[in-house]
Amino acid sequence: MGIGKSKIDSCPLSLSWGKSHSVDARQGHNESASKNSEDISLCDVAERGKTTEEPPGKQEGAERVAEMPEEDAEEEEVFLKFVILHAEDDTGEALRVQSLLQNDFGIKPGIIFAEMPCGRQHLQNLDDAVNGSAWTILLLTENFLRDTWCNFQFYTSLMNSVNRQHKYNSVIPMRPLNNPLPRERTPFALQTINALEEESRGFPTQVERIFQESVYKTQQTIWKETRNVVQRQFIA
């Protein structure tokens, strides 16, 4: 939750990298030089001739080297353990909970929704966040019900967990220490799910029981297989 324009425009985190344009820039320079061939010296012609006489294999090798940063960036994409959906005004609290889970319980990597890349549609970011992580944490605060986008997010997340077998029980409501949403005001659809209660003595036990490594590995495998299928279809 929390995707107001003020949060998205700040673009605090980018999960993807742009393509390198070094090859295009070099090609553009060669094309410009060829158009002005009448004004260049014989030495320039000789030097350019050496360049054009290079074996095709070397030229292709140079292009592959120029494209390496993009390939490395794609390999760095990871399947997250959790994403926290939150109200716009709860970004600070979401960051605190993120730090708590990662540093105190070793559940990482995780992300909050405000850190999703800017420049894309909200629905695309929501889909990437939910399907690119093993668990979806709904931060239940007093601000939760005031944000219409929050309501849409949690209904969408619940439907996703119902329609996809491997996502069953992946939606985790959580009442944080600060400004928690009272149980009696919690939407009925979420009352049927046991929520994480940070103020509860059993909170550490709840966290250990929910965030199991075996569940993460299973979802990660399915995620990788799905991405491979999509990539093959795109190439074809």
Side-chain angles (χ1 to χ4, degrees):
M1 306 171 180
I3 55 150
K5 293 183 179 179
S6 60
K7 302 299 180 185
I8 293 301
D9 292 343
S10 62
C11 196
L13 175 68
S14 177
L15 299 182
S16 60
W17 292 263
K19 295 183 177 179
S20 172
H21 297 285
S22 58
V23 176
D24 294 338
R26 187 174 63 254
Q27 291 175 347
H29 174 74
N30 290 339
E31 291 175 0
S32 176
S34 62
K35 291 181 182 179
N36 296 279
S37 58
E38 297 179 357
D39 298 328
I40 58 180
S41 65
L42 291 177
C43 293
D44 292 332
V45 173
E47 289 297 323
R48 190 166 66 248
K50 293 179 182 179
T51 303
T52 56
E53 290 175 359
E54 289 182 358
K58 290 186 178 180
Q59 296 177 1
E60 293 176 359
E63 292 178 354
R64 285 197 295 270
V65 171
E67 293 175 356
M68 282 298 292
E70 178 189 351
E71 295 175 359
D72 292 342
E74 291 179 356
E75 293 177 357
E76 291 180 7
E77 186 177 1
V78 296
F79 182 67
L80 301 170
K81 287 202 171 181
F82 66 87
V83 60
I84 300 177
L85 304 185
H86 56 88
E88 180 178 353
D89 293 336
D90 289 331
T91 300
E93 184 69 358
L95 286 170
R96 185 190 65 79
V97 172
Q98 177 193 27
S99 177
L100 172 70
L101 294 176
Q102 291 192 131
N103 299 329
D104 292 8
F105 294 96
I107 305 171
K108 54 186 175 184
I111 193 174
I112 70 171
F113 192 72
E115 292 178 316
M116 291 299 292
C118 64
R120 294 190 301 185
Q121 293 184 356
H122 298 337
L123 291 179
Q124 182 62 53
N125 269 343
L126 178 60
D127 182 74
D128 291 344
V130 172
N131 293 316
S133 58
W135 291 279
T136 303
I137 299 176
L138 306 178
L139 201 64
L140 300 183
T141 67
E142 289 283 359
N143 298 319
F144 186 83
L145 295 181
R146 304 190 189 112
D147 197 327
T148 303
W149 175 242
C150 288
N151 290 316
F152 178 82
Q153 284 181 317
F154 92 74
Y155 275 119
T156 301
S157 301
L158 287 177
M159 290 302 300
N160 185 68
S161 67
V162 170
N163 293 328
R164 301 189 178 188
Q165 185 175 2
H166 67 285
K167 285 291 185 179
Y168 183 69
N169 282 340
S170 64
V171 177
I172 312 298
M174 177 177 175
R175 293 186 180 86
L177 286 178
N178 302 314
N179 199 28
L181 180 68
R183 293 182 181 84
E184 59 272 15
R185 296 178 54 202
T186 302
F188 178 76
L190 295 179
Q191 291 182 12
T192 59
I193 306 175
N194 290 330
L196 273 173
E197 307 279 352
E198 190 176 358
E199 65 178 0
S200 171
R201 293 181 179 178
F203 178 71
T205 303
Q206 282 185 296
V207 171
E208 182 179 355
R209 185 178 67 250
I210 291 173
F211 300 98
Q212 298 182 17
E213 188 68 18
S214 59
V215 176
Y216 170 75
K217 292 295 184 182
T218 298
Q219 291 206 38
Q220 183 185 45
T221 299
I222 296 174
W223 175 75
K224 288 182 178 180
E225 292 175 350
T226 302
R227 288 178 69 241
N228 291 336
V229 170
V230 173
Q231 289 176 356
R232 286 196 296 267
Q233 291 176 345
F234 179 78
I235 295 175

